[in-house]
Amino acid sequence: MSFVTYEAKDLIGIVTINREKALNALNTQVLNDLEEVIDGVDYDTIRCLIITGAGKKSFVAGADIGEMAEDTKAEGKEFCEHGNRVFRKIETLPIPVIAAINGFALGGGCELSMACDIRIASDNAVFGQPEVGLGITPGFGGTQRLMRRIPVGKAKEMIYASINIKAEEALKWGLINAIYPQDELLPAAEKLANRIAAQAPIAVRAAKAAMNEGIDVPMDEAIQVEVKHFSDCFETADQKEGMKAFMEKRKHEPFQN
Ligand code: CAA
């Protein structure tokens, strides 16, 4: 049995972490299942992914504490590398990924959401990196991504003092883009995913790659990243049709993959 389910809906895919009894906590099997599902997506067809958690209480309540409790240093390192490898894979997928955060996003859950391109949340969502209260640091990217998503000082305050924040505060700090009532979260995520899927897909992929490749390099190098991706788009049928349709004041033909 897999702890991660996948549903393809036309041009979008929905990945659900499904270990509700443990609030979708990430143990080794969940990480393996998540990677297997991500690897199995048909990226020739699917143009946007949504990642969410099963149930109405939790997105992901963190890495599995029970599994880590007796770990040696070497085992802790292996678990950290495992989670980081899977999350980096998600972050660098060729298509955009939306985290639909339907409750607790603590520790590894907050970290999973931060590996996604876009975060939207339900009104009961709670975010935090409470690891220092367990005697460890965040280990699936939290020490690195939180300070890249919100101001460094706020990230340090949350991590050092193990402070969890509710959806409203996460919105204020820009950690999430929007808040929805629980029942409206997934429909909102699907609407956004479908809007992304309706754009020129090669251009969307190029935009994601340009932003990902450029974010951590000096500006002159980052500009060259943009030059490459922008110019590559001129070899696509979508660019020809998209611009021709604009000039002819008509709706463009459906974009191609
Ligand atoms: N690991 C393992 N099991 C977990 C879990 C986790 N991270 N979070 C919740 N669970 C389990 C609980 O043990 C409980 O199981 P049982 O029913 O078998 O006792 C079940 O899920 C329900 O949880 P609670 O009874 O605790 O539910 P609650 O509503 O009272 O509290 C909560 C919810 C505040 C999220 C609380 O469960 C909690 O604090 N969870 C841990 C959050 C956390 O510290 N996450 C960070 C983990 S470390 C990490 O993620 C490291 C990293 O960066 C890689």
Side-chain angles (χ1 to χ4, degrees):
M1 195 203 77
S2 176
F3 282 125
V4 181
T5 59
Y6 177 68
E7 183 190 2
K9 277 187 158 180
D10 194 15
L11 298 174
I12 69 170
I14 304 173
V15 176
T16 306
I17 315 284
N18 197 344
R19 193 186 172 213
E20 218 178 317
K21 273 201 262 178
L23 302 185
N24 304 321
L26 304 168
N27 61 16
T28 299
Q29 192 195 330
V30 180
L31 285 174
N32 284 335
D33 292 346
L34 179 58
E35 185 169 27
E36 195 177 316
V37 163
I38 293 292
D39 285 346
V41 171
D42 173 11
Y43 293 103
D44 291 338
T45 305
I46 299 298
R47 297 181 182 180
C48 185
L49 278 184
I50 296 168
I51 299 184
T52 194
K56 290 185 183 292
K57 187 171 170 183
S58 182
F59 173 67
V60 167
D64 192 299
I65 299 168
E67 187 177 294
M68 283 183 290
E70 302 296 327
D71 272 0
T72 61
K73 180 177 175 178
E75 287 162 341
K77 180 170 184 271
E78 193 184 340
F79 193 50
C80 179
E81 286 172 345
H82 187 185
N84 268 304
R85 185 171 51 73
V86 176
F87 287 11
R88 183 70 177 145
K89 181 177 272 192
I90 290 168
E91 187 169 44
T92 57
L93 284 176
I95 59 173
V97 184
I98 300 169
I101 302 144
N102 56 313
F104 292 114
L106 299 175
C110 187
E111 291 166 315
L112 174 59
S113 79
M114 291 191 294
C116 299
D117 294 280
I118 295 167
R119 283 161 294 289
I120 60 175
S122 56
D123 46 19
N124 64 327
V126 179
F127 296 82
Q129 298 288 161
E131 286 89 345
V132 296
L134 296 164
I136 55 172
T137 69
F140 291 169
T143 60
Q144 302 310 311
R145 287 197 184 92
L146 189 58
M147 66 180 179
R148 285 168 165 80
R149 304 286 179 267
I150 65 173
V152 176
K154 184 65 188 172
K156 288 186 171 178
E157 180 186 319
M158 284 176 67
I159 290 177
Y160 298 163
S162 185
I163 293 171
N164 295 340
I165 59 173
K166 293 182 177 167
E168 284 291 346
E169 201 180 345
L171 182 66
K172 186 179 100 183
W173 289 107
L175 185 57
I176 58 175
N177 290 9
I179 301 174
Y180 297 92
Q182 177 76 243
D183 290 342
E184 292 170 27
L185 177 66
L186 207 52
E190 289 187 31
K191 189 174 171 198
L192 178 58
N194 278 311
R195 187 183 164 104
I196 291 170
Q199 312 305 314
I202 297 172
V204 171
R205 286 169 190 240
K208 172 167 178 170
M211 285 189 268
N212 268 3
E213 289 165 26
I215 197 160
D216 288 324
V217 303
M219 187 53 86
D220 287 332
E221 224 176 287
I223 294 298
Q224 290 314 309
V225 169
E226 182 176 86
V227 169
K228 181 198 173 306
H229 288 291
F230 177 80
S231 48
D232 281 353
C233 290
F234 287 81
E235 290 179 327
T236 67
D238 289 344
Q239 178 269 330
K240 305 281 175 268
E241 167 57 15
M243 292 193 176
K244 193 159 176 266
F246 176 84
M247 298 306 290
E248 292 170 1
K249 299 192 186 306
R250 61 173 171 81
K251 189 170 168 16
H252 60 74
E253 296 297 324
F255 287 124
Q256 301 169 18
N257 232 338

